[in-house]
Amino acid sequence: MRYAAGVGALLNSIAPVELENGVKPVQDAYKWRLVLAYDGTHYAGWQYQQSPPTVQCTVEKALTQATKLQRKDLCLVGSSRTDAGVHAWGQVAHFFTPFNYDNLEELHAALNGLLPSDIRVREISPASAEFHARFSAKSKIYHYKIYNDTIMDPFQRHFAFHSVYKLNSTVMKEAAKYFVGKHDFSAFANASHNDRVPDPVKHIFRFDVKEMGALLQLEVEGSGFLYRQVRNMVALLLQIGREAIPPEIVPHILASRDRKELAKYSLSSPPHGLCLVSINYNESHLLPPPGCPANSFGRHHTIRKCKVPFFY
């Protein structure tokens, strides 16, 4: 790590003022993008809170140790506020430093050395002033796994919901098509006390039901999602898969725009089957700023010289 050698390495524009939990980043700062994977089993979601432990709190603790900066200077912002027990393979976050780095591999290794084994930094890269982990996102992809067999695979128990009822995947696929398009998803959103009143109209680009032996993987991509929207959509598809209700119930519930209407047919599905897989961004916001180091994807360790005697 070193401080910027010249004006050319500094971000061309002043870092935007972003308030995250009342924290304001420093001005004229360098912005860095993280891609994170985590097993959410033992965390109360992503969002920062004093207690119990959250993913954001844990990542911030590692960042403060690695950078020697305070939380108020880092201003870590995540792209998605995953719930308690929800996993991620492609969570994205950004943070600030008042200094530049020669390369990011040492920071990358330090963070993964400080973090618990159920959270990994997959990538660190320099980010432009225009990039925002949440607001630059064009779409998000979630997967929900259902293990559909009489006996649960113990190796899947933390990452897939166990359905002992035989599910009809054909009718689930038919029902999932009704979600595709631009709709008001008010009926599929739980009330949240942590956010502003969100826009209930979201665009679902695809909703696929894939069969992989006993495992059913529900893959949904959308412009954004309301609080617990994915888990509520999955819960309804589970009832349809059990053939308790017909696929045509989906447009009826959508049209109602009433969460109580959905509650007549299903409750929210458990969180452990859900995983935030990836986030797609505006390409122009991913362009690296000048004078910053290359992306770090981690480094492989190699043995340069064999120290064990070899006999012919």
Side-chain angles (χ1 to χ4, degrees), residues 1-2 32-34 66 95 100-114 121-126 292-302 304:
M1 176 189 77
R2 74 174 185 186
W32 310 98
R33 181 172 57 248
L34 298 174
F95 67 96
N100 198 5
Y101 285 92
D102 282 333
N103 72 74
L104 293 170
E105 287 189 346
E106 289 184 6
L107 175 64
H108 196 166
L111 287 174
N112 280 337
L114 292 164
V121 176
R122 293 176 50 213
E123 179 186 347
I124 305 179
S125 57
C292 284
N295 298 5
S296 173
F297 298 94
R299 56 189 174 192
H300 291 283
H301 294 275
T302 58
R304 296 186 178 181

Side-chain angles (χ1 to χ4, degrees), residues 5 20 24 34 59 76 78 81 86-88 95 98 109 114-115 180 218 221 253 264 268 309:
E20 180 72 9
K24 179 181 175 181
L34 298 174
V59 174
L76 180 69
R81 299 175 180 181
V86 174
H87 315 293
F95 67 96
L114 292 164
L115 286 166
V180 177
L218 279 57
E221 179 178 3
I253 295 173
K264 295 176 182 178
S268 184

Side-chain angles (χ1 to χ4, degrees), residues 162-183:
H162 183 208
S163 174
V164 294
Y165 295 95
K166 183 62 179 175
L167 299 174
N168 183 336
S169 61
T170 300
V171 293
M172 292 175 73
K173 291 175 184 177
E174 183 183 343
K177 291 178 181 177
Y178 288 113
F179 288 119
V180 177
K182 190 175 288 188
H183 305 286

Side-chain angles (χ1 to χ4, degrees), residues 255-275:
S256 75
R257 302 179 183 179
D258 186 354
R259 179 67 179 84
K260 293 179 182 178
E261 188 64 23
L262 175 65
K264 295 176 182 178
Y265 304 97
S266 66
L267 300 175
S268 184
S269 58
H272 67 279
L274 186 61
C275 181

Side-chain angles (χ1 to χ4, degrees), residues 18-229:
E18 303 168 37
L19 292 176
E20 180 72 9
N21 304 305
V23 177
K24 179 181 175 181
V26 296
Q27 299 294 304
D28 296 326
Y30 293 87
K31 187 184 284 188
W32 310 98
R33 181 172 57 248
L34 298 174
V35 179
L36 298 149
Y38 50 83
D39 174 352
T41 303
H42 302 297
Y43 296 95
W46 163 266
Q47 186 69 5
Y48 179 89
Q49 53 183 290
Q50 296 294 337
S51 179
T54 69
V55 178
Q56 184 177 358
C57 290
T58 309
V59 174
E60 282 183 349
K61 183 179 178 181
L63 278 169
T64 56
Q65 290 179 267
T67 63
K68 310 301 182 187
L69 296 172
Q70 299 299 312
R71 178 174 182 263
K72 63 183 178 63
D73 301 318
L74 293 165
C75 192
L76 180 69
V77 176
S79 62
S80 184
R81 299 175 180 181
T82 53
D83 295 337
V86 174
H87 315 293
W89 173 249
Q91 172 72 288
V92 177
H94 72 255
F95 67 96
F96 295 89
T97 62
F99 47 76
N100 198 5
Y101 285 92
D102 282 333
N103 72 74
L104 293 170
E105 287 189 346
E106 289 184 6
L107 175 64
H108 196 166
L111 287 174
N112 280 337
L114 292 164
L115 286 166
S117 58
D118 52 5
I119 303 176
R120 293 291 90 179
V121 176
R122 293 176 50 213
E123 179 186 347
I124 305 179
S125 57
S128 67
E130 293 76 24
F131 175 80
H132 191 284
R134 188 182 310 156
F135 301 131
S136 296
K138 292 175 63 179
S139 71
K140 298 178 182 180
I141 299 174
Y142 282 90
H143 288 181
Y144 194 97
K145 293 183 178 181
I146 303 164
Y147 195 80
N148 192 200
D149 205 349
T150 54
I151 306 297
M152 180 61 180
D153 179 348
F155 296 103
Q156 298 279 354
R157 71 189 189 281
H158 293 309
F159 309 103
F161 168 67
H162 183 208
S163 174
V164 294
Y165 295 95
K166 183 62 179 175
L167 299 174
N168 183 336
S169 61
T170 300
V171 293
M172 292 175 73
K173 291 175 184 177
E174 183 183 343
K177 291 178 181 177
Y178 288 113
F179 288 119
V180 177
K182 190 175 288 188
H183 305 286
D184 184 323
F185 282 94
S186 297
F188 289 86
N190 284 25
S192 172
H193 302 292
N194 301 320
D195 237 334
R196 304 184 190 97
V197 178
D199 180 1
V201 177
K202 304 296 178 185
H203 191 168
I204 302 299
F205 302 116
R206 66 182 181 93
F207 202 146
D208 302 322
V209 179
K210 296 185 176 180
E211 299 174 74
M212 298 176 285
L215 200 66
L216 278 180
Q217 184 163 282
L218 279 57
E219 302 180 2
V220 57
E221 179 178 3
S223 60
F225 297 94
L226 301 170
Y227 181 53
R228 294 197 178 175
Q229 179 185 334

